[in-house]
Amino acid sequence: MQKAQKIYLSQYESEDIHLSAYNFTLPQELIATFPTYPKENAKLLVYQNGNVIHTTFAYLFNFIPKNYLIVLNNTKVLKARFFARKIQYTNNFTTSYNDKEQEFLYHKPLSNNRHLVQIRGKTQLFDSFILTTKIHYIIIQILHIHKNGFKEVCFFNLSDIPSPHRILQYNPLNNQEVLNILEQYGMIPLPPYIKRKTMQQDEIDYQSIFATAQGSIAAPTASLHFSKSMFSYLQDHYHHVFVTLHIGAGTFQPVSTQNILEHTMHTESCWIPKESAQCINETQHILCIGTTAMRSVEWFVQTQQTSGENNIFLNPYNPPKKVTALLTNFHLPKSSLIMLVSSMIGRQETLRIYNEAIQKQYKFYSYGDGMLILL
């Protein structure tokens, strides 16, 4: 299988290196803003041996052989989006608050009291913000600004209101306290291409039914297709294991280098339980539910690490060494994810399938339809 794959990919290596070769035109109306109900009615494109079959998720298991190990990512999406008002100081250090709120996107903890966030709007070092809730008043202070614009912040109780240019030393909220605040007062962070406000229903729709490990700011979207009954069938009829990869904002960032091999891949925290690692090593046929599960498996296989920062970049020049099947949604042009799909079946085949999906009015991206690839 691997030898045949390498021969196939070598036919197109001169073109595969160019970013522009992964572009395609997607009509705006094909970007899904809501999921399909019931989930079994979502469209499913099945690709096997160069052939394409159009069906729905209700028939997914008709195409998956019973001897396949199914790997799922159990990460859980944080309510990472919230709003806070900047604190203003006068010359005598009295305070007031801006009327206009600024948007925060929480990313991950860096230590027990430092956290990585993005903040929309102008900010500078040591700016402080107040998050007002019915029973809490939380202060957020910027402690460091990274070159990429990300901020390191600390969360405090109101009793610890900071003065300008002074880092507080008293009673910062720990990681679990911050996560509790997000859970109570944050919102699900829908992807930027979904041009609508977050609704309460998104707390259900933008979360897989097997999500248990808090830490992502985006959903492993192929997992969203599973209803309770479909997941129950999977559990009863297939050998399956879980991995954890916490998805960060980098998943939405397009590749910007014209030579794709010069792209610096974003990193995401990844854990492979011992039992999962053993099953992956011992199994010949592996189906990954989503690109994050596939990146987890291939990162483990290629590095032999079971925990750490995963920065694997799968593309036609770095094809999978273990994964033989993938369930995935349809991805953005020029993204690392469309290159991942190309690593399995080649760039030209990927674009051919995408064009056919567009002609058949498939819905794209997080709430869209799906594709099953069987090598």
Side-chain angles (χ1 to χ4, degrees):
M1 177 67 71
Q2 291 301 314
K3 184 177 180 181
Q5 186 180 48
K6 288 179 180 178
I7 292 172
Y8 174 81
L9 290 173
S10 68
Q11 298 172 4
Y12 305 102
E13 61 185 2
S14 62
E15 294 294 328
D16 289 345
I17 203 166
H18 301 300
L19 177 62
S20 58
Y22 298 87
N23 196 22
F24 64 92
T25 301
L26 179 68
Q28 186 71 24
E29 64 270 18
L30 294 186
I31 299 176
T33 54
F34 293 93
T36 299
Y37 300 106
K39 293 185 177 184
E40 287 83 354
N41 286 359
K43 292 180 180 179
L44 177 66
L45 185 155
V46 180
Y47 177 88
Q48 187 173 25
N49 298 324
N51 298 314
V52 172
I53 298 172
H54 298 285
T55 182
T56 66
F57 269 85
Y59 300 97
L60 170 67
F61 295 113
N62 291 355
F63 298 94
I64 304 173
K66 289 294 192 295
N67 65 331
Y68 272 50
L69 172 68
I70 298 181
V71 180
L72 308 104
N73 183 6
N74 65 359
T75 190
K76 187 174 184 179
V77 182
L78 299 168
K79 293 182 181 179
R81 186 168 172 257
F82 65 93
F83 294 84
R85 293 178 293 163
K86 186 183 292 186
I87 299 174
Q88 302 290 339
Y89 301 97
T90 64
N91 289 335
N92 60 0
F93 297 111
T94 59
T95 60
S96 62
Y97 312 126
N98 279 0
D99 291 334
K100 185 178 180 181
E101 294 182 315
Q102 289 183 241
E103 180 182 345
F104 283 66
L105 182 63
Y106 181 90
H107 282 265
K108 62 182 179 181
L110 299 174
S111 65
N112 196 42
N113 53 29
R114 281 206 179 202
H115 305 264
L116 192 67
V117 303
Q118 286 177 290
I119 307 173
R120 188 182 296 273
K122 293 183 179 180
T123 59
Q124 60 185 8
L125 190 62
F126 302 121
D127 275 353
S128 299
F129 301 81
I130 185 166
L131 169 62
T132 305
T133 70
K134 292 180 180 179
I135 58 174
H136 288 95
Y137 295 90
I138 304 299
I139 299 297
I140 305 129
Q141 187 176 36
I142 299 175
L143 306 183
H144 179 71
I145 299 177
H146 291 263
K147 290 182 180 179
N148 61 6
F150 283 62
K151 280 81 177 177
E152 291 184 26
V153 302
C154 193
F155 291 74
F156 302 89
N157 289 320
L158 180 62
S159 58
D160 297 316
I161 292 179
S163 298
H165 313 296
R166 181 168 67 88
I167 300 175
L168 293 185
Q169 303 295 327
Y170 308 103
N171 301 322
L173 301 181
N174 62 36
N175 287 348
Q176 191 55 55
E177 289 171 324
V178 171
L179 292 179
N180 290 344
I181 292 293
L182 293 176
E183 183 62 28
Q184 293 180 66
Y185 306 114
M187 293 176 285
I188 288 291
L190 290 180
Y193 45 72
I194 296 182
K195 306 296 185 182
R196 64 170 174 82
K197 292 183 178 180
T198 303
M199 304 168 63
Q200 189 171 0
Q201 182 62 31
D202 291 309
E203 295 182 13
I204 298 172
D205 292 336
Y206 199 64
Q207 197 79 267
S208 75
I209 60 173
F210 45 82
T212 56
Q214 274 192 326
S216 281
I217 66 164
T221 52
S223 302
L224 302 182
H225 289 290
F226 286 87
S227 63
K228 289 182 179 179
S229 60
M230 288 185 69
F231 184 57
S232 178
Y233 185 92
L234 184 155
Q235 290 176 300
D236 292 341
H237 293 86
Y238 290 90
H239 189 196
H240 66 282
V241 296
F242 291 101
V243 296
T244 303
L245 184 139
H246 290 321
I247 306 165
T251 191
F252 300 119
Q253 294 175 353
V255 175
S256 57
T257 58
Q258 294 307 307
N259 179 338
I260 67 166
L261 299 184
E262 295 175 355
H263 172 62
T264 300
M265 192 68 175
H266 60 281
T267 64
E268 293 166 319
S269 298
C270 189
W271 293 270
I272 316 290
K274 182 178 179 180
E275 298 80 5
S276 299
Q278 182 176 348
C279 290
I280 291 168
N281 278 330
E282 295 175 352
T283 304
Q284 184 177 1
H285 297 292
I286 294 178
L287 165 64
C288 288
I289 305 301
T291 57
T292 59
M294 179 172 169
R295 290 184 64 235
S296 299
V297 170
E298 289 297 324
W299 174 75
F300 162 65
V301 169
Q302 296 189 30
T303 68
Q304 290 302 300
Q305 296 183 63
T306 56
S307 66
E309 291 297 308
N310 184 337
N311 67 344
I312 192 168
F313 179 26
L314 296 170
N315 60 73
Y317 298 94
N318 183 28
K321 293 178 170 52
K322 188 72 176 181
V323 176
T324 55
L326 173 67
L327 178 68
T328 186
N329 283 23
F330 294 91
H331 305 291
L332 280 74
K334 299 183 180 180
S335 65
S336 62
L337 298 182
I338 195 171
M339 295 170 191
L340 179 149
V341 176
S342 299
S343 78
M344 296 191 75
I345 60 174
R347 178 185 54 82
Q348 290 195 357
E349 279 292 86
T350 299
L351 292 177
R352 178 177 75 85
I353 292 169
Y354 270 50
N355 287 328
E356 185 166 337
I358 290 170
Q359 292 171 7
K360 296 288 186 180
Q361 298 288 291
Y362 277 67
K363 293 292 186 179
F364 275 57
Y365 306 160
S366 295
Y367 276 155
D369 299 311
M371 171 170 61
L372 176 65
I373 298 171
L374 299 165
L375 297 183

